[in-house]
Amino acid sequence: AQSVTQLGSHVSVSEGALVLLRCNYSSSVPPYLFWYVQYPNQGLQLLLKYTTGATLVKGINGFEAEFKKSETSFHLTKPSAHMSDAAEYFCAVSDPNTGNQFYFGTGTSLTVIP
Amino acid sequence: DAGVTQSPTHLIKTRGQQVTLRCSPKSGHDTVSWYQQALGQGPQFIFQYYEEEERQRGNFPDRFSGHQFPNYSSELNVNALLLGDSALYLCASSPIDRNEVEQYFGPGTRLTVT
């Protein structure tokens, strides 16, 4: 069974400050890992993914995430927050053996303060 | 190239009624998954369709059923609606290329049950 925990349902940062959104997972096998962003009244947009290989992955809009197997974490970061980053962020995992079902965390709402 | 499309955008139903939601996958995608996203929560997997068959199912009652057509489009049907079925219903499609593991999400259908 797989599950995702996102610590902090709400995160506020100042414009230009570091963004750090936390994600920890539980999986019986090394999973595939994803971060999605959701803007109000819209669907989910893929930010980045980890499958295999390099543990630091870069995504769109300046975001990146690092897979740490020993910590079962996949935290999302961005060096400098922009007002347009304000949105809901979801971490998700899937089983590489099936890849069918995505398990999502409960989300983190990011507020960017001008 | 159109992405994942869903219809309708919004609808309001009464308890006990039945509803059908529709999804057209992204071009080049053959697998369709449905998710329910309650307010303030992450998406929950309902089921997935591939080759016109339900391949995997989440923890949802039989009131939730689906169908996939030869052109890969899909329908989600919910019978005997309950107030708790009010949510954003998201459709996601996956590529025929099995090396691409991410799911692409549509904008969703907002269902309100009164």
Side-chain angles (χ1 to χ4, degrees):
Chain A
Q2 299 176 327
S3 65
V4 174
T5 301
Q6 292 184 240
L7 294 176
S9 58
H10 294 87
V11 170
S12 293
V13 299
S14 298
E15 190 175 16
L18 171 72
V19 175
L20 171 61
L21 304 183
R22 301 180 185 275
C23 173
N24 289 87
Y25 68 90
S26 172
S27 177
S28 55
V29 298
Y32 291 153
L33 296 157
F34 308 84
W35 275 100
Y36 282 86
V37 61
Q38 185 176 36
Y39 297 99
N41 300 314
Q42 294 187 25
L44 279 68
Q45 180 184 7
L46 180 68
L47 280 176
L48 47 80
K49 66 180 179 184
Y50 170 80
T51 55
T52 59
T55 57
L56 181 63
V57 294
K58 296 185 184 298
I60 62 172
N61 301 339
F63 284 94
E64 62 182 36
E66 185 172 11
F67 170 57
K68 292 187 177 180
K69 183 179 179 180
S70 61
E71 299 178 7
T72 61
S73 68
F74 191 57
H75 301 331
L76 181 71
T77 61
K78 182 175 180 178
S80 177
H82 191 273
M83 296 298 295
S84 61
D85 295 327
E88 190 83 17
Y89 291 80
F90 293 95
C91 181
V93 302
S94 71
D95 183 337
N97 296 323
T98 64
N100 293 338
Q101 181 173 350
F102 275 35
Y103 298 83
F104 284 86
T106 53
T108 297
S109 177
L110 176 66
T111 299
V112 181
I113 304 167
Chain B
D1 176 25
V4 179
T5 60
Q6 294 185 241
S7 63
T9 304
H10 299 85
L11 75 167
I12 301 173
K13 291 287 188 178
T14 303
R15 277 181 300 174
Q17 287 187 317
Q18 179 266 344
V19 68
T20 297
L21 311 181
R22 296 176 175 82
C23 171
S24 292
K26 184 177 170 64
S27 177
H29 291 193
D30 61 352
T31 302
V32 174
S33 302
W34 286 93
Y35 292 81
Q36 180 194 65
Q37 186 180 15
L39 196 61
Q41 299 297 316
Q44 298 290 316
F45 178 77
I46 302 174
F47 43 53
Q48 184 180 79
Y49 276 83
Y50 171 70
E51 293 187 339
E52 303 180 48
E53 296 287 334
E54 182 183 291
R55 182 160 68 171
Q56 192 169 1
R57 188 180 184 92
N59 188 26
F60 278 81
D62 292 344
R63 297 187 298 109
F64 290 77
S65 63
H67 188 76
Q68 186 178 34
F69 299 93
N71 67 352
Y72 306 126
S73 67
S74 177
E75 290 182 347
L76 164 65
N77 301 292
V78 186
N79 294 322
L81 285 167
L82 304 174
L83 294 179
D85 295 331
S86 295
L88 180 68
Y89 288 84
L90 296 166
C91 170
S93 68
S94 310
I96 294 173
D97 181 356
R98 298 306 168 209
N99 290 319
E100 296 190 39
V101 300
E102 60 265 41
Q103 295 185 3
Y104 293 77
F105 285 80
T109 294
R110 174 74 63 186
L111 171 65
T112 301
V113 182
T114 62

